[in-house]
Amino acid sequence: MPTTIQLILEGKKVGRTATKALTAKQVHTETRAGYHADGLSSGLNLQVTLLRERVTRSWVFRYTSPTTRKRRELGLGSTLTRKLADARAISGELRLKVLNGIDPKDERDQARALAIFARAQQINFDEALRQCMDAKSAEWKSIKHGQQWQNTLTTYASPVLGKLPVDLITTNLVYKVLEPIWHTKTETATRVRQRIETVLDWCKARGYCKGENPARLKGALGQLLPKSQKIKKVEHHPALPYQRANEFVLALREKGGMTSLALEFILLTACRTGEVAAARWEEIDFSTSVWTVPAERMKAGREHRVPLCTRSIEILKVLEEKAQNEFVFPSHSIQKDTHMSLGSCLVAMKRMAGFKGYTPHGLRSTFRDWAANTTNFANETLELALAHTIKNKAEAAYRRQDQLEKRAKLMQLWQTYIEKKPIPAKVVNLELRGTA
């Protein structure tokens, strides 16, 4: 016999005859459309729906909301997937919630809303990388810089982290990315780690994950990996000995061509290959013999003024007569609106007999070695000539001038040295004289 509370939950008047219990056979054979209450589980109903010639049966829990006192229904699924015993058990749990003042439908709707919100807040690593790169694209020094980001993370991080939600990425997973290349490709591995950390920091700022960044080296990850400075092999660019500078320039002039002029210009200015290759005519001031490289093309991100010696000006005058576009060193390819390839100078040097082992970037070291060994210019002046970043923040804060006049004298002396043929060492012949 149903209790008074059960009858109230069913919306029945107290004293009404109890409904018969549903049977397993009836659950699968009932064809009368409408609700068929279960006498053993107050609130549980078998709902039969006629759709043309098709009959569907499902479970519905009917109750009076304890908060609004209105009649409500909550679907419990199809009879094909949920048996009668299971439906009765769930119905019993829902009745207890109603008795405890909880509206089951409101509770379910809230849980679903939270789940939808949680899914909306989830993002996997590959998608986070894409969005992070879009947000930070303005910071890239060049298109190549952005491509390096994409390529390194796609190659090394994505196979492990790519499809994972960022909030599930752990220190052990980051370690799994880095460990195979930490000893063999240390420089690449350190950049991969830094870039993973940046992506996850971006995710944290957007609310996609919380807590400590698992790619942070000063955290637990630093205890798993040996210090990169201890294992990294420093490989310097092969540098042409400054004593061979004259020999090198004579070889360039004999070879001729724009690439040869670019290599000589690199040697004379001690600038990076990329800075020279992308030089524009608007950056050259012939009246002051100064070339101003904009900040976006500099490694340190600061504008750099380059004093031009007389030979550098001669090279520019020759190129100005044959100018094709806005670039000082235009491209040889079909693309007439761009500058020469960054790799053309390297290829040219590799093809030069007697200079195959050296690189264009190493010419900066050629200049630095000459200046340190043969001049009395201060180290600060030499570092400014190379546009090196000052690691000491206090010193960097006080260095406001770029010593342009001093550097102009330095670069002119460098030209003088280059054009002066080295004096060959004297060979002394010692003759053995016999005794009388």
Side-chain angles (χ1 to χ4, degrees):
M1 179 69 67
T3 64
T4 302
I5 294 176
Q6 288 176 322
L7 292 173
I8 292 174
L9 289 174
E10 278 294 309
K12 302 172 183 176
K13 293 181 180 180
V14 177
R16 185 174 177 178
T17 304
T19 307
K20 291 183 179 181
L22 294 171
T23 64
K25 182 179 179 180
Q26 182 183 0
V27 168
H28 295 293
T29 60
E30 182 63 65
T31 57
R32 292 173 297 162
Y35 293 99
H36 304 274
D38 178 29
L40 292 183
S41 182
S42 180
L44 179 63
N45 287 261
L46 171 66
Q47 183 182 28
V48 179
T49 305
L50 301 179
L51 297 174
R52 296 181 181 177
E53 297 180 357
R54 182 186 174 194
V55 179
T56 62
R57 303 173 183 87
S58 60
W59 299 111
V60 175
F61 178 67
R62 308 181 76 186
Y63 66 100
T64 300
S65 171
T67 55
T68 64
R69 307 309 301 171
K70 292 183 178 180
R71 195 71 171 157
R72 305 197 77 176
E73 295 182 358
L74 186 63
L76 303 182
S78 170
T79 58
L80 298 176
T81 56
R82 183 158 285 162
K83 296 179 180 179
L84 175 58
D86 294 333
R88 283 171 174 167
I90 295 173
S91 178
E93 294 174 1
L94 296 176
R95 284 199 306 275
L96 288 175
K97 288 186 177 184
V98 173
L99 291 173
N100 290 327
I102 299 173
D103 190 313
K105 193 171 189 305
D106 287 346
E107 184 182 47
R108 178 183 286 187
D109 291 344
Q110 184 179 13
R112 286 177 175 173
L114 289 174
I116 292 172
F117 177 77
R119 285 195 297 272
Q121 289 296 102
Q122 271 195 344
I123 186 173
N124 65 35
F125 182 82
D126 281 347
E127 178 61 21
L129 170 61
R130 186 189 67 77
Q131 292 188 28
C132 178
M133 288 190 63
D134 287 345
K136 292 184 169 291
S137 59
E139 299 178 10
W140 307 141
K141 296 175 182 176
S142 64
I143 296 176
K144 184 179 178 181
H145 189 189
Q147 291 173 340
Q148 288 173 341
W149 258 71
Q150 180 73 52
N151 294 340
T152 53
L153 290 181
T154 300
T155 301
Y156 300 107
S158 290
V160 178
L161 309 177
K163 303 305 178 183
L164 283 177
V166 293
D167 59 334
L168 297 182
I169 295 175
T170 63
T171 297
N172 283 334
L173 288 172
V174 177
Y175 175 75
K176 187 176 179 181
V177 172
L178 301 175
E179 194 273 335
I181 58 173
W182 194 255
H183 290 271
T184 57
K185 302 177 181 179
T186 308
E187 183 63 31
T188 299
T190 56
R191 292 181 181 180
V192 170
R193 186 207 63 77
Q194 291 168 354
R195 290 163 184 173
I196 293 175
E197 182 180 15
T198 298
V199 172
L200 295 181
D201 275 343
W202 178 87
C203 290
K204 187 175 180 180
R206 291 294 304 269
Y208 293 126
C209 57
K210 299 178 181 179
E212 183 179 349
N213 191 321
R216 185 170 176 264
L217 193 59
K218 291 184 179 180
L221 188 63
Q223 304 303 316
L224 298 175
L225 296 168
K227 291 184 178 179
S228 59
Q229 299 90 331
K230 301 289 185 180
I231 62 174
K232 182 167 59 176
K233 296 178 181 180
V234 179
E235 296 181 0
H236 296 289
H237 290 270
L240 175 77
Y242 66 86
Q243 295 88 345
R244 297 190 64 191
N246 175 264
E247 179 189 352
F248 177 64
V249 168
L250 290 178
L252 288 175
R253 293 176 183 176
E254 182 179 353
K255 183 181 179 182
M258 188 177 64
T259 305
S260 294
L261 290 175
L263 281 168
E264 186 176 355
F265 195 78
I266 290 171
L267 180 65
L268 290 165
T269 59
C271 287
R272 298 177 179 87
T273 308
E275 296 160 7
V276 172
R280 289 178 168 84
W281 287 113
E282 63 183 20
E283 299 166 2
I284 310 296
D285 188 341
F286 285 105
S287 64
T288 59
S289 297
V290 173
W291 167 33
T292 303
V293 187
E296 58 267 22
R297 287 221 319 280
M298 293 300 300
K299 184 177 181 179
R302 292 195 303 271
E303 181 182 274
H304 178 52
R305 294 195 297 171
V306 182
L308 301 171
C309 62
T310 54
R311 174 56 185 166
S312 295
I313 294 295
E314 289 177 7
I315 292 174
L316 292 173
K317 290 291 186 181
V318 170
L319 293 170
E320 187 181 30
E321 293 178 0
K322 302 177 182 179
Q324 300 176 11
N325 53 33
E326 61 178 321
F327 295 103
V328 176
F329 299 96
S331 172
H332 291 297
S333 66
I334 300 175
Q335 295 179 331
K336 300 295 183 180
D337 58 342
T338 186
H339 56 75
M340 68 184 299
S341 167
L342 298 183
S344 57
C345 290
L346 178 61
V347 172
M349 282 193 75
K350 286 183 177 180
R351 293 175 178 174
M352 291 178 68
F355 303 98
K356 292 182 180 180
Y358 305 120
T359 65
H361 192 81
L363 298 177
R364 285 164 55 82
S365 294
T366 302
F367 161 77
R368 186 65 171 80
D369 292 342
W370 164 82
N373 290 318
T374 67
T375 74
N376 294 321
F377 284 88
N379 181 67
E380 179 184 358
T381 305
L382 305 186
E383 292 298 288
L384 283 169
L386 293 167
H388 279 165
T389 303
I390 306 171
K391 294 183 179 180
N392 187 310
K393 293 184 179 180
E395 181 184 349
Y398 284 101
R399 183 190 287 180
R400 303 292 178 85
Q401 303 297 325
D402 63 0
Q403 299 184 19
L404 184 65
E405 292 182 3
K406 284 186 179 181
R407 291 192 291 115
K409 294 178 181 178
L410 172 64
M411 303 317 290
Q412 194 60 48
L413 282 175
W414 176 223
Q415 176 192 331
T416 301
Y417 176 82
I418 291 172
E419 294 181 341
K420 185 178 180 180
K421 293 183 180 180
I423 301 173
K426 292 182 179 181
V427 179
V428 179
N429 294 322
L430 298 177
E431 294 182 1
L432 296 176
R433 298 181 180 180
T435 56

